[in-house]
Amino acid sequence: MKILFYDAKSYDINSFSSLLPDYPKLTVEFIKSDLDPRTAALSEGFDAVCAFVNSDVGAQTLDILHAKGIRLLLMRCAGFNNVDLEQAAKYQIRVMRVPGYSPEAVAEHAMALALASNRRLHKAYNKVRENDFSLSGLMGFNFYQKTAGIIGTGKIGAAMCRICHGFGMKVIAQDVYENPSLKDFVEYVSMDEVLQRSDLISLHCPLMDSTYHLINIDTIRRMKDGVVLVNTSRGALVKTEDLIEGIRMHKFAGVGLDVYEEEGTNVFEDRSDEILEHSTTARLLSFPNVMITSHQGFFTVEALDAIASTTLENAMDFLAGKESPNEVSP
Ligand code: NAI
């Protein structure tokens, strides 16, 4: 089976190429372009395409993939909010993903963002490099014995609950399902209670219609003053304009974001003054208590190995005509 691998970075090529000798039935061609309606036609002559978090796998792309005979979409990530599943189903294009390649990779990054934004490590690093050893503007608060509110307790949220518990925090959570593995140390409460009681709020639910702009001015107003907010899930869970308003109201001790609404747009490729002036991410970066990383939560050795092996196993399941727990449907 021939797979066209979009948006290939050197680390993807390394992790996949090291496993490919074990999969003689699969051939993979790596290209730098990401998948979108302009590049979908490159899939001519392939059986499957492999895409990632910022690929545009909307209806228009799927129309073209279908016309080119693609039967399998391999998402090498957990989220699939960028895929039009209805359209894929209409064309009988199977969609497979990698549901839990390394929950700890993302949860550890979420805690890193929480700690760094609370203790202003990003500022401290720059200050000391400039020979400024003063502590002004760097005061944080202890996480020990504070309350962590975890929204979404699937694989990553559960790992975050364990980390927060290990820090000596009280852990409360909100999810549509309760995760039985957490019953000894996590208290499930309403969303309102998470907002009102938490000193640290970390988002670990998927982006769906029901979670779009879950954090908005209304939910922000209900949070405790001095809360730390972390988002490592998807940018659009947070309404950025409202977050900026909340920061201006001094609601947050710290904000740590690994994902942001403008991801995948040309804002940071272009970097022209005019574009940056209107960029909400650039505005966020102007606040001293905000720390942003570039969607790197997944980026560990263990996670990349797991992504490569699960994606190739997904392709083998497809070839064998097997059902797969990693398949997503509308
Ligand atoms: P998961 O599917 O194991 O868990 C998601 C949980 O959210 C489930 O327990 C689900 O019931 C819950 N949920 C759904 N709707 C909810 C709502 N309205 N309120 C509260 N909870 C709700 O997914 P996993 O593996 O834990 O990943 C979570 C998210 O993390 C993914 O959807 C993805 O967007 C993001 N992610 C980010 C990465 C990064 O590099 N920053 C890497 C991997 C995933």
Side-chain angles (χ1 to χ4, degrees):
M1 182 165 74
K2 290 179 72 183
I3 303 167
L4 182 60
F5 192 110
Y6 282 91
D7 192 23
K9 303 285 193 289
S10 57
Y11 49 82
D12 295 315
I13 299 172
N14 288 341
S15 59
F16 277 78
S17 299
S18 68
L19 296 182
L20 274 169
D22 298 335
Y23 294 87
K25 290 186 179 162
L26 305 178
T27 53
V28 178
E29 191 170 319
F30 298 97
I31 57 167
K32 281 193 174 160
S33 314
D34 203 351
L35 176 59
D36 64 28
R38 291 164 306 173
T39 59
L42 298 171
S43 65
E44 172 101 48
F46 289 85
D47 308 291
V49 293
C50 183
F52 197 48
V53 281
N54 290 322
S55 309
D56 171 355
V57 205
Q60 224 187 326
T61 301
L62 285 160
D63 289 346
I64 301 164
L65 293 179
H66 169 65
K68 299 294 174 195
I70 294 299
R71 295 173 298 137
L72 172 65
L73 169 62
L74 292 163
M75 297 302 295
R76 54 180 191 280
C77 52
F80 48 88
N81 53 285
N82 50 337
V83 181
D84 187 330
L85 291 178
E86 305 273 348
Q87 195 78 348
K90 183 175 121 190
Y91 293 136
Q92 294 182 323
I93 296 176
R94 289 178 71 183
V95 181
M96 308 246 212
R97 65 173 182 137
V98 185
Y101 38 87
S102 178
E104 286 74 18
V106 184
E108 287 175 15
H109 191 69
M111 183 48 103
L113 282 172
L115 291 169
S117 63
N118 173 32
R119 305 299 290 267
R120 309 275 193 275
L121 294 188
H122 52 305
K123 291 278 147 193
Y125 175 78
N126 284 331
K127 276 167 72 118
V128 171
R129 278 174 69 97
E130 298 295 324
N131 290 315
D132 174 357
F133 288 79
S134 79
L135 300 182
S136 66
L138 301 182
M139 189 153 72
F141 67 89
N142 288 8
F143 283 176
Y144 179 62
Q145 290 190 338
K146 297 293 190 316
T147 300
I150 309 301
I151 300 180
T153 53
K155 286 172 283 298
I156 297 171
M160 185 62 174
C161 287
R162 290 191 292 272
I163 291 171
C164 292
H165 180 61
F167 268 66
M169 302 185 84
K170 165 145 194 62
V171 187
I172 60 175
Q174 209 280 320
D175 197 314
V176 281
Y177 304 106
E178 296 193 5
N179 184 332
S181 73
L182 303 174
K183 67 176 177 1
D184 291 340
F185 59 92
V186 172
E187 180 193 352
Y188 280 93
V189 298
S190 66
M191 178 64 91
D192 237 13
E193 271 196 67
V194 168
L195 296 171
Q196 285 169 15
R197 286 173 54 190
S198 303
D199 302 288
L200 161 64
I201 295 178
S202 194
L203 307 180
H204 299 288
C205 57
L207 177 62
M208 300 178 295
D209 289 346
S210 60
T211 57
Y212 179 76
H213 285 177
L214 183 74
I215 303 301
N216 53 53
I217 198 61
D218 173 49
T219 45
I220 289 170
R221 281 189 206 283
R222 284 185 271 154
M223 293 176 191
K224 257 189 187 178
D225 287 342
V227 63
V228 169
L229 175 70
V230 171
N231 185 11
T232 54
S233 266
R234 283 293 179 268
L237 292 175
V238 178
K239 188 171 178 191
T240 314
E241 291 283 353
D242 289 8
L243 179 62
I244 291 169
E245 197 180 331
I247 295 168
R248 290 220 170 97
M249 290 168 5
H250 302 292
K251 180 56 86 173
F252 301 99
V255 174
L257 306 175
D258 189 42
V259 289
Y260 36 93
E261 284 194 284
E262 287 173 332
E263 250 180 274
T265 67
N266 65 352
V267 168
F268 295 100
E269 277 160 32
D270 192 309
R271 290 200 188 90
S272 73
D273 286 352
E274 202 193 329
I275 288 190
L276 287 179
E277 242 169 57
H278 296 105
S279 155
T280 50
T281 318
R283 270 160 65 203
L284 277 177
L285 281 168
S286 68
F287 296 104
N289 54 346
V290 175
M291 181 163 185
I292 302 186
T293 53
S294 179
H295 207 141
Q296 69 174 73
F298 73 100
F299 201 48
T300 66
V301 173
E302 293 79 1
L304 287 179
D305 286 349
I307 287 172
S309 65
T310 307
T311 303
L312 295 172
E313 285 300 323
N314 284 346
M316 293 305 289
D317 281 350
F318 171 84
L319 259 187
K322 277 197 205 159
E323 288 197 358
S324 163
N326 299 339
E327 182 156 359
V328 280
S329 47

Short mmCIF file of all heavy atoms in Angstrom, two decimals, residues 118-166:
data_model
loop_
_atom_site.label_atom_id
_atom_site.label_comp_id
_atom_site.label_asym_id
_atom_site.label_seq_id
_atom_site.Cartn_x
_atom_site.Cartn_y
_atom_site.Cartn_z
N ASN A 118 3.21 30.40 36.27
CA ASN A 118 3.01 30.83 37.66
C ASN A 118 4.29 31.46 38.23
O ASN A 118 4.24 32.50 38.88
CB ASN A 118 2.58 29.61 38.50
CG ASN A 118 2.51 29.92 39.98
OD1 ASN A 118 2.21 31.04 40.38
ND2 ASN A 118 2.80 28.92 40.80
N ARG A 119 5.46 30.82 37.95
CA ARG A 119 6.71 31.32 38.53
C ARG A 119 7.47 32.21 37.55
O ARG A 119 8.60 32.58 37.81
CB ARG A 119 7.58 30.13 38.97
CG ARG A 119 6.85 29.18 39.93
CD ARG A 119 6.44 29.86 41.22
NE ARG A 119 7.57 30.16 42.03
CZ ARG A 119 8.06 29.36 42.99
NH1 ARG A 119 7.46 28.24 43.28
NH2 ARG A 119 9.11 29.72 43.68
N ARG A 120 6.79 32.55 36.40
CA ARG A 120 7.38 33.48 35.42
C ARG A 120 8.77 33.04 34.95
O ARG A 120 9.68 33.86 34.83
CB ARG A 120 7.51 34.90 36.00
CG ARG A 120 6.27 35.45 36.63
CD ARG A 120 5.38 36.08 35.59
NE ARG A 120 4.34 36.87 36.22
CZ ARG A 120 3.18 36.37 36.67
NH1 ARG A 120 2.92 35.09 36.53
NH2 ARG A 120 2.30 37.17 37.22
N LEU A 121 8.92 31.75 34.71
CA LEU A 121 10.26 31.25 34.33
C LEU A 121 10.73 31.86 33.02
O LEU A 121 11.92 32.08 32.82
CB LEU A 121 10.24 29.72 34.23
CG LEU A 121 10.01 28.96 35.53
CD1 LEU A 121 10.21 27.46 35.31
CD2 LEU A 121 10.95 29.44 36.62
N HIS A 122 9.76 32.12 32.12
CA HIS A 122 10.13 32.70 30.82
C HIS A 122 10.72 34.09 31.00
O HIS A 122 11.64 34.49 30.30
CB HIS A 122 8.93 32.70 29.87
CG HIS A 122 7.69 33.33 30.44
ND1 HIS A 122 7.11 32.94 31.64
CD2 HIS A 122 6.91 34.33 29.98
CE1 HIS A 122 6.04 33.67 31.88
NE2 HIS A 122 5.89 34.52 30.89
N LYS A 123 10.16 34.84 31.97
CA LYS A 123 10.68 36.19 32.25
C LYS A 123 12.03 36.07 32.98
O LYS A 123 12.98 36.80 32.68
CB LYS A 123 9.70 36.96 33.16
CG LYS A 123 8.43 37.33 32.50
CD LYS A 123 8.63 38.59 31.68
CE LYS A 123 7.74 38.52 30.44
NZ LYS A 123 8.05 39.51 29.44
N ALA A 124 12.06 35.16 33.97
CA ALA A 124 13.27 35.02 34.79
C ALA A 124 14.47 34.65 33.90
O ALA A 124 15.56 35.20 34.07
CB ALA A 124 13.05 33.93 35.84
N TYR A 125 14.23 33.77 32.96
CA TYR A 125 15.30 33.32 32.07
C TYR A 125 15.88 34.52 31.30
O TYR A 125 17.09 34.71 31.26
CB TYR A 125 14.72 32.28 31.11
CG TYR A 125 15.67 31.80 30.06
CD1 TYR A 125 16.66 30.86 30.37
CD2 TYR A 125 15.59 32.27 28.75
CE1 TYR A 125 17.55 30.42 29.40
CE2 TYR A 125 16.48 31.84 27.79
CZ TYR A 125 17.45 30.92 28.12
OH TYR A 125 18.34 30.49 27.16
N ASN A 126 14.98 35.33 30.75
CA ASN A 126 15.45 36.49 29.97
C ASN A 126 16.13 37.52 30.85
O ASN A 126 17.13 38.10 30.47
CB ASN A 126 14.27 37.15 29.24
CG ASN A 126 13.86 36.33 28.03
OD1 ASN A 126 14.69 35.64 27.45
ND2 ASN A 126 12.59 36.38 27.68
N LYS A 127 15.56 37.73 32.05
CA LYS A 127 16.16 38.74 32.94
C LYS A 127 17.59 38.37 33.31
O LYS A 127 18.50 39.19 33.24
CB LYS A 127 15.32 38.85 34.24
CG LYS A 127 14.11 39.77 34.11
CD LYS A 127 13.17 39.60 35.28
CE LYS A 127 13.74 40.19 36.53
NZ LYS A 127 12.94 41.28 37.09
N VAL A 128 17.78 37.12 33.73
CA VAL A 128 19.11 36.70 34.17
C VAL A 128 20.11 36.75 33.01
O VAL A 128 21.26 37.13 33.18
CB VAL A 128 19.03 35.29 34.83
CG1 VAL A 128 20.42 34.73 35.09
CG2 VAL A 128 18.26 35.38 36.14
N ARG A 129 19.65 36.42 31.83
CA ARG A 129 20.54 36.52 30.66
C ARG A 129 21.00 37.95 30.42
O ARG A 129 22.04 38.19 29.82
CB ARG A 129 19.81 36.01 29.40
CG ARG A 129 19.85 34.51 29.29
CD ARG A 129 19.01 34.05 28.13
NE ARG A 129 19.61 34.43 26.86
CZ ARG A 129 20.37 33.63 26.13
NH1 ARG A 129 20.61 32.41 26.52
NH2 ARG A 129 20.86 34.04 24.97
N GLU A 130 20.14 38.91 30.86
CA GLU A 130 20.52 40.33 30.72
C GLU A 130 21.22 40.83 31.99
O GLU A 130 21.25 42.03 32.26
CB GLU A 130 19.26 41.18 30.47
CG GLU A 130 18.50 40.87 29.20
CD GLU A 130 19.30 41.17 27.95
OE1 GLU A 130 20.06 42.16 27.96
OE2 GLU A 130 19.19 40.40 26.97
N ASN A 131 21.71 39.91 32.81
CA ASN A 131 22.37 40.26 34.08
C ASN A 131 21.47 40.99 35.06
O ASN A 131 21.94 41.73 35.91
CB ASN A 131 23.63 41.11 33.84
CG ASN A 131 24.72 40.27 33.21
OD1 ASN A 131 24.95 39.14 33.65
ND2 ASN A 131 25.33 40.78 32.16
N ASP A 132 20.17 40.80 34.96
CA ASP A 132 19.24 41.40 35.91
C ASP A 132 18.80 40.29 36.87
O ASP A 132 18.01 39.42 36.50
CB ASP A 132 18.03 41.98 35.14
CG ASP A 132 16.96 42.49 36.07
OD1 ASP A 132 17.12 42.36 37.31
OD2 ASP A 132 15.94 43.01 35.57
N PHE A 133 19.35 40.32 38.07
CA PHE A 133 19.07 39.26 39.04
C PHE A 133 18.00 39.66 40.06
O PHE A 133 17.82 39.02 41.08
CB PHE A 133 20.36 38.82 39.76
CG PHE A 133 21.26 38.04 38.85
CD1 PHE A 133 22.06 38.67 37.91
CD2 PHE A 133 21.29 36.65 38.89
CE1 PHE A 133 22.89 37.94 37.05
CE2 PHE A 133 22.11 35.92 38.04
CZ PHE A 133 22.91 36.57 37.12
N SER A 134 17.25 40.75 39.78
CA SER A 134 16.21 41.17 40.73
C SER A 134 15.01 40.23 40.61
O SER A 134 14.81 39.57 39.58
CB SER A 134 15.76 42.59 40.43
OG SER A 134 14.88 42.59 39.34
N LEU A 135 14.21 40.16 41.67
CA LEU A 135 13.05 39.24 41.68
C LEU A 135 11.74 39.95 41.35
O LEU A 135 10.68 39.33 41.40
CB LEU A 135 12.93 38.58 43.06
CG LEU A 135 14.13 37.75 43.52
CD1 LEU A 135 13.86 37.13 44.88
CD2 LEU A 135 14.44 36.66 42.51
N SER A 136 11.83 41.23 41.01
CA SER A 136 10.56 41.96 40.82
C SER A 136 9.76 41.35 39.67
O SER A 136 10.31 41.02 38.62
CB SER A 136 10.80 43.45 40.59
OG SER A 136 11.46 43.62 39.38
N GLY A 137 8.48 41.19 39.93
CA GLY A 137 7.58 40.65 38.91
C GLY A 137 7.61 39.14 38.79
O GLY A 137 6.98 38.57 37.90
N LEU A 138 8.32 38.45 39.67
CA LEU A 138 8.46 36.99 39.51
C LEU A 138 7.70 36.18 40.56
O LEU A 138 7.76 34.95 40.55
CB LEU A 138 9.94 36.59 39.57
CG LEU A 138 10.87 37.22 38.53
CD1 LEU A 138 12.30 36.69 38.70
CD2 LEU A 138 10.38 36.95 37.12
N MET A 139 6.97 36.84 41.46
CA MET A 139 6.35 36.08 42.56
C MET A 139 5.22 35.18 42.07
O MET A 139 4.36 35.61 41.29
CB MET A 139 5.82 37.01 43.65
CG MET A 139 5.38 36.20 44.87
SD MET A 139 5.50 37.13 46.38
CE MET A 139 4.17 38.25 46.16
N GLY A 140 5.25 33.95 42.52
CA GLY A 140 4.17 33.01 42.18
C GLY A 140 3.47 32.54 43.45
O GLY A 140 3.57 33.17 44.49
N PHE A 141 2.73 31.44 43.36
CA PHE A 141 2.13 30.84 44.56
C PHE A 141 2.40 29.35 44.57
O PHE A 141 2.69 28.76 43.51
CB PHE A 141 0.62 31.16 44.66
CG PHE A 141 -0.23 30.51 43.60
CD1 PHE A 141 -0.78 29.23 43.79
CD2 PHE A 141 -0.52 31.16 42.40
CE1 PHE A 141 -1.58 28.63 42.82
CE2 PHE A 141 -1.32 30.56 41.43
CZ PHE A 141 -1.84 29.29 41.64
N ASN A 142 2.34 28.73 45.76
CA ASN A 142 2.56 27.27 45.85
C ASN A 142 1.39 26.52 45.23
O ASN A 142 0.24 26.89 45.47
CB ASN A 142 2.59 26.83 47.33
CG ASN A 142 3.85 27.26 48.04
OD1 ASN A 142 4.64 28.01 47.49
ND2 ASN A 142 4.01 26.77 49.25
N PHE A 143 1.66 25.45 44.52
CA PHE A 143 0.58 24.56 44.08
C PHE A 143 0.15 23.60 45.20
O PHE A 143 -0.99 23.16 45.25
CB PHE A 143 1.01 23.75 42.85
CG PHE A 143 0.99 24.54 41.56
CD1 PHE A 143 1.44 23.98 40.37
CD2 PHE A 143 0.51 25.85 41.52
CE1 PHE A 143 1.42 24.71 39.18
CE2 PHE A 143 0.49 26.58 40.34
CZ PHE A 143 0.95 26.00 39.16
N TYR A 144 1.11 23.28 46.09
CA TYR A 144 0.85 22.36 47.20
C TYR A 144 -0.38 22.82 47.99
O TYR A 144 -0.49 23.99 48.35
CB TYR A 144 2.09 22.33 48.10
CG TYR A 144 1.96 21.45 49.31
CD1 TYR A 144 1.76 20.08 49.18
CD2 TYR A 144 2.05 21.99 50.59
CE1 TYR A 144 1.65 19.27 50.30
CE2 TYR A 144 1.94 21.19 51.71
CZ TYR A 144 1.73 19.82 51.56
OH TYR A 144 1.61 19.03 52.66
N GLN A 145 -1.31 21.90 48.18
CA GLN A 145 -2.56 22.13 48.93
C GLN A 145 -3.53 23.09 48.24
O GLN A 145 -4.52 23.50 48.84
CB GLN A 145 -2.27 22.58 50.37
CG GLN A 145 -1.69 21.42 51.16
CD GLN A 145 -1.60 21.68 52.64
OE1 GLN A 145 -1.58 22.82 53.09
NE2 GLN A 145 -1.54 20.61 53.43
N LYS A 146 -3.26 23.45 46.99
CA LYS A 146 -4.24 24.24 46.22
C LYS A 146 -5.12 23.26 45.43
O LYS A 146 -4.90 22.04 45.45
CB LYS A 146 -3.54 25.21 45.28
CG LYS A 146 -2.69 26.24 45.98
CD LYS A 146 -3.55 27.21 46.79
CE LYS A 146 -2.76 28.40 47.31
NZ LYS A 146 -1.44 28.10 47.88
N THR A 147 -6.09 23.82 44.72
CA THR A 147 -7.05 22.97 44.00
C THR A 147 -6.80 23.02 42.50
O THR A 147 -6.73 24.11 41.92
CB THR A 147 -8.49 23.43 44.32
OG1 THR A 147 -8.69 23.31 45.72
CG2 THR A 147 -9.52 22.59 43.58
N ALA A 148 -6.65 21.83 41.91
CA ALA A 148 -6.51 21.73 40.45
C ALA A 148 -7.86 21.31 39.88
O ALA A 148 -8.46 20.34 40.37
CB ALA A 148 -5.45 20.71 40.09
N GLY A 149 -8.33 22.01 38.87
CA GLY A 149 -9.59 21.66 38.20
C GLY A 149 -9.27 21.17 36.80
O GLY A 149 -8.76 21.92 35.97
N ILE A 150 -9.57 19.89 36.55
CA ILE A 150 -9.20 19.29 35.27
C ILE A 150 -10.46 19.10 34.44
O ILE A 150 -11.40 18.42 34.87
CB ILE A 150 -8.48 17.92 35.49
CG1 ILE A 150 -7.34 18.07 36.51
CG2 ILE A 150 -7.99 17.35 34.16
CD1 ILE A 150 -6.26 19.05 36.14
N ILE A 151 -10.50 19.70 33.27
CA ILE A 151 -11.69 19.60 32.41
C ILE A 151 -11.38 18.59 31.31
O ILE A 151 -10.55 18.84 30.44
CB ILE A 151 -12.07 20.99 31.86
CG1 ILE A 151 -12.37 21.93 33.02
CG2 ILE A 151 -13.27 20.86 30.89
CD1 ILE A 151 -12.76 23.34 32.63
N GLY A 152 -12.04 17.43 31.40
CA GLY A 152 -11.75 16.32 30.49
C GLY A 152 -10.76 15.38 31.16
O GLY A 152 -9.60 15.75 31.37
N THR A 153 -11.24 14.18 31.55
CA THR A 153 -10.36 13.24 32.25
C THR A 153 -10.21 11.95 31.46
O THR A 153 -10.36 10.85 31.98
CB THR A 153 -10.88 12.94 33.67
OG1 THR A 153 -12.25 12.52 33.56
CG2 THR A 153 -10.78 14.15 34.58
N GLY A 154 -9.96 12.11 30.15
CA GLY A 154 -9.60 10.95 29.32
C GLY A 154 -8.15 10.62 29.62
O GLY A 154 -7.68 10.76 30.75
N LYS A 155 -7.43 10.20 28.58
CA LYS A 155 -6.06 9.72 28.83
C LYS A 155 -5.14 10.84 29.34
O LYS A 155 -4.43 10.66 30.32
CB LYS A 155 -5.52 9.10 27.54
CG LYS A 155 -6.15 7.73 27.27
CD LYS A 155 -5.78 7.18 25.94
CE LYS A 155 -6.52 7.81 24.79
NZ LYS A 155 -7.97 7.63 24.81
N ILE A 156 -5.17 12.00 28.66
CA ILE A 156 -4.24 13.07 29.06
C ILE A 156 -4.71 13.73 30.36
O ILE A 156 -3.91 13.96 31.27
CB ILE A 156 -4.12 14.12 27.93
CG1 ILE A 156 -3.52 13.47 26.68
CG2 ILE A 156 -3.26 15.29 28.37
CD1 ILE A 156 -3.54 14.33 25.43
N GLY A 157 -6.01 13.99 30.46
CA GLY A 157 -6.55 14.60 31.67
C GLY A 157 -6.28 13.73 32.90
O GLY A 157 -5.95 14.23 33.98
N ALA A 158 -6.38 12.41 32.72
CA ALA A 158 -6.13 11.50 33.85
C ALA A 158 -4.66 11.59 34.25
O ALA A 158 -4.34 11.60 35.45
CB ALA A 158 -6.50 10.06 33.47
N ALA A 159 -3.77 11.66 33.26
CA ALA A 159 -2.33 11.79 33.58
C ALA A 159 -2.10 13.10 34.32
O ALA A 159 -1.31 13.16 35.27
CB ALA A 159 -1.50 11.72 32.30
N MET A 160 -2.80 14.16 33.90
CA MET A 160 -2.65 15.46 34.58
C MET A 160 -3.18 15.37 36.02
O MET A 160 -2.60 15.95 36.94
CB MET A 160 -3.38 16.54 33.77
CG MET A 160 -3.19 17.94 34.29
SD MET A 160 -1.45 18.46 34.24
CE MET A 160 -1.64 20.18 34.73
N CYS A 161 -4.28 14.64 36.20
CA CYS A 161 -4.82 14.46 37.57
C CYS A 161 -3.77 13.79 38.45
O CYS A 161 -3.55 14.19 39.60
CB CYS A 161 -6.07 13.57 37.56
SG CYS A 161 -7.53 14.37 36.87
N ARG A 162 -3.10 12.75 37.91
CA ARG A 162 -2.09 12.04 38.71
C ARG A 162 -0.93 12.97 39.06
O ARG A 162 -0.42 12.94 40.18
CB ARG A 162 -1.57 10.80 37.93
CG ARG A 162 -2.61 9.68 37.80
CD ARG A 162 -1.99 8.40 37.27
NE ARG A 162 -1.57 8.51 35.88
CZ ARG A 162 -2.34 8.26 34.82
NH1 ARG A 162 -3.59 7.85 34.99
NH2 ARG A 162 -1.86 8.39 33.60
N ILE A 163 -0.52 13.79 38.09
CA ILE A 163 0.59 14.72 38.35
C ILE A 163 0.19 15.73 39.44
O ILE A 163 0.94 15.97 40.39
CB ILE A 163 1.01 15.45 37.05
CG1 ILE A 163 1.66 14.46 36.08
CG2 ILE A 163 1.95 16.62 37.35
CD1 ILE A 163 1.92 15.03 34.69
N CYS A 164 -1.00 16.28 39.32
CA CYS A 164 -1.45 17.29 40.30
C CYS A 164 -1.58 16.65 41.68
O CYS A 164 -1.21 17.26 42.69
CB CYS A 164 -2.79 17.90 39.86
SG CYS A 164 -2.64 18.91 38.38
N HIS A 165 -2.09 15.42 41.71
CA HIS A 165 -2.19 14.69 42.98
C HIS A 165 -0.79 14.53 43.58
O HIS A 165 -0.59 14.74 44.79
CB HIS A 165 -2.84 13.33 42.72
CG HIS A 165 -3.01 12.49 43.92
ND1 HIS A 165 -3.77 12.87 45.00
CD2 HIS A 165 -2.50 11.26 44.24
CE1 HIS A 165 -3.73 11.91 45.92
NE2 HIS A 165 -2.96 10.94 45.48
N GLY A 166 0.17 14.20 42.74
CA GLY A 166 1.56 14.04 43.20
C GLY A 166 2.15 15.34 43.75
O GLY A 166 3.04 15.31 44.59
#
